[in-house]
Amino acid sequence: MSNVKQTLSIIKPDAVERNLDGQIKEEFLNNGFKIIQEKKIQIEKQEAEKFYKVHETKPFYNDLCSYLSSGPIVVMILERENAIIANRELMGSTNPKEAAEGTLRKKFGISIDKNSVHGSDSEENARIEIDFFFKS
Ligand code: IDP
Ligand code: MG
């Protein structure tokens, strides 16, 4: 039975700044994802605060929101069989130093905050995050 799903991916400012967005999109395509929609935008800090609201109480929340709004990002709707899990696997661990060989964060990430990509962590959050960026 088909289990095709959609997930939200963000190429974060550190990767866009280093012109890695083309290469990262290639990685998604090579791993069976379709890019259904994409846009390059820069968001306000207030929008980043809304997007990362689940992390509101974390000590890194303020820096995280400043960072996501610090430069252009590429947001994408990715579609694939088991898209949410498949994207989390392709991204690798949050901390690039702990990420497995071959993962995007291992290849491109600089540090735990500048880890190049975001991916939704559940079906429910994928829907919420897709709507956040793409619902007109
Ligand atoms: P995830 O991006 O792998 O889902 P989350 O725990 O949801 O990781 O954290 C969201 C983002 O917050 C991470 O991608 C990373 O950029 C940042 N972050 C997470 N933990 C830390 C930390 O301990 N210090 C600084 N930044 C962090
Ligand atoms: Mg997360």
Side-chain angles (χ1 to χ4, degrees):
M1 214 176 72
S2 157
N3 198 28
V4 175
K5 296 274 192 284
Q6 293 187 342
T7 191
L8 184 91
S9 170
I10 304 177
I11 303 176
K12 293 185 178 183
D14 68 271
V16 176
E17 189 179 26
R18 288 176 287 147
N19 290 313
L20 293 170
D21 41 319
Q23 230 174 300
I24 292 175
K25 279 192 272 182
E26 277 298 309
E27 296 261 358
F28 289 127
L29 298 175
N30 291 339
N31 283 276
F33 291 91
K34 285 183 190 160
I35 301 172
I36 302 297
Q37 284 201 66
E38 65 169 292
K39 57 184 179 185
K40 192 187 225 180
I41 53 173
Q42 182 162 358
I43 61 172
E44 299 290 337
K45 188 171 179 194
Q46 260 186 315
E47 294 175 87
E49 286 168 352
K50 239 189 269 177
F51 180 74
Y52 274 132
K53 194 150 176 54
V54 289
H55 295 303
E56 195 167 33
T57 59
K58 309 272 172 64
F60 57 83
Y61 179 65
N62 185 56
D63 287 348
L64 176 62
C65 297
S66 295
Y67 166 63
L68 194 69
S69 56
S70 67
I73 57 175
V74 177
V75 291
M76 291 167 289
I77 301 174
L78 301 181
E79 186 174 278
R80 210 199 93 152
E81 190 87 0
N82 299 314
I84 293 111
I85 295 165
N87 184 36
R88 295 291 303 191
E89 278 180 13
L90 179 59
M91 288 187 343
S93 300
T94 305
N95 187 345
K97 291 182 179 70
E98 290 162 13
E101 214 55 57
T103 62
L104 299 180
R105 283 167 164 172
K106 174 75 176 184
K107 283 185 187 168
F108 304 115
I110 297 168
S111 57
I112 191 161
D113 46 326
K114 295 184 174 170
N115 59 8
S116 301
V117 282
H118 166 87
S120 310
D121 63 4
S122 67
E123 268 184 51
E124 190 193 355
N125 285 335
R127 189 32 59 199
I128 292 168
E129 292 179 357
I130 286 169
D131 286 350
F132 184 89
F133 284 108
F134 290 100
K135 203 172 178 176
S136 47

Short mmCIF file of all heavy atoms in Angstrom, two decimals, residues 13 41-43 66-73:
data_model
loop_
_atom_site.label_atom_id
_atom_site.label_comp_id
_atom_site.label_asym_id
_atom_site.label_seq_id
_atom_site.Cartn_x
_atom_site.Cartn_y
_atom_site.Cartn_z
N PRO A 13 19.85 29.46 6.83
CA PRO A 13 20.72 30.56 6.35
C PRO A 13 22.19 30.17 6.14
O PRO A 13 22.80 30.64 5.18
CB PRO A 13 20.59 31.62 7.47
CG PRO A 13 19.24 31.39 8.04
CD PRO A 13 19.04 29.90 7.99
N ILE A 41 13.00 32.83 0.74
CA ILE A 41 12.43 33.98 1.44
C ILE A 41 13.35 34.36 2.60
O ILE A 41 14.24 33.59 2.98
CB ILE A 41 11.02 33.66 2.04
CG1 ILE A 41 11.08 32.39 2.91
CG2 ILE A 41 9.99 33.51 0.94
CD1 ILE A 41 9.79 32.09 3.67
N GLN A 42 13.12 35.53 3.15
CA GLN A 42 13.72 35.84 4.46
C GLN A 42 12.56 36.19 5.38
O GLN A 42 11.68 36.98 5.01
CB GLN A 42 14.72 36.99 4.35
CG GLN A 42 15.37 37.27 5.71
CD GLN A 42 16.66 38.09 5.63
OE1 GLN A 42 17.12 38.44 4.55
NE2 GLN A 42 17.23 38.38 6.79
N ILE A 43 12.55 35.61 6.57
CA ILE A 43 11.43 35.84 7.49
C ILE A 43 11.83 36.82 8.60
O ILE A 43 13.00 37.00 8.89
CB ILE A 43 10.89 34.51 8.09
CG1 ILE A 43 11.97 33.78 8.89
CG2 ILE A 43 10.34 33.62 6.99
CD1 ILE A 43 11.45 32.56 9.66
N SER A 66 16.68 34.32 16.12
CA SER A 66 17.51 35.34 15.47
C SER A 66 18.21 34.73 14.26
O SER A 66 18.26 35.33 13.18
CB SER A 66 18.58 35.87 16.42
OG SER A 66 17.98 36.54 17.48
N TYR A 67 18.73 33.54 14.47
CA TYR A 67 19.47 32.87 13.40
C TYR A 67 18.59 32.55 12.18
O TYR A 67 18.95 32.86 11.05
CB TYR A 67 20.12 31.59 13.93
CG TYR A 67 20.60 30.71 12.84
CD1 TYR A 67 21.61 31.15 11.98
CD2 TYR A 67 20.01 29.47 12.60
CE1 TYR A 67 22.01 30.36 10.92
CE2 TYR A 67 20.41 28.69 11.55
CZ TYR A 67 21.40 29.14 10.71
OH TYR A 67 21.79 28.38 9.65
N LEU A 68 17.41 31.96 12.42
CA LEU A 68 16.56 31.57 11.28
C LEU A 68 16.11 32.78 10.46
O LEU A 68 15.83 32.66 9.27
CB LEU A 68 15.35 30.75 11.75
CG LEU A 68 14.59 30.03 10.62
CD1 LEU A 68 15.43 28.88 10.03
CD2 LEU A 68 13.23 29.52 11.07
N SER A 69 16.06 33.93 11.12
CA SER A 69 15.61 35.14 10.43
C SER A 69 16.79 36.01 9.95
O SER A 69 16.60 37.10 9.45
CB SER A 69 14.69 35.95 11.35
OG SER A 69 15.35 36.25 12.57
N SER A 70 18.01 35.48 10.08
CA SER A 70 19.20 36.30 9.80
C SER A 70 19.57 36.40 8.33
O SER A 70 20.41 37.22 7.96
CB SER A 70 20.40 35.73 10.56
OG SER A 70 20.75 34.45 10.04
N GLY A 71 18.97 35.58 7.49
CA GLY A 71 19.31 35.61 6.07
C GLY A 71 18.32 34.77 5.29
O GLY A 71 17.42 34.16 5.88
N PRO A 72 18.47 34.75 3.96
CA PRO A 72 17.54 33.97 3.13
C PRO A 72 17.55 32.48 3.48
O PRO A 72 18.59 31.92 3.85
CB PRO A 72 18.07 34.18 1.71
CG PRO A 72 18.89 35.43 1.77
CD PRO A 72 19.47 35.47 3.15
N ILE A 73 16.38 31.88 3.36
CA ILE A 73 16.20 30.44 3.54
C ILE A 73 15.42 29.91 2.34
O ILE A 73 14.74 30.69 1.65
CB ILE A 73 15.43 30.10 4.85
CG1 ILE A 73 14.04 30.80 4.89
CG2 ILE A 73 16.25 30.51 6.07
CD1 ILE A 73 13.18 30.41 6.10
#
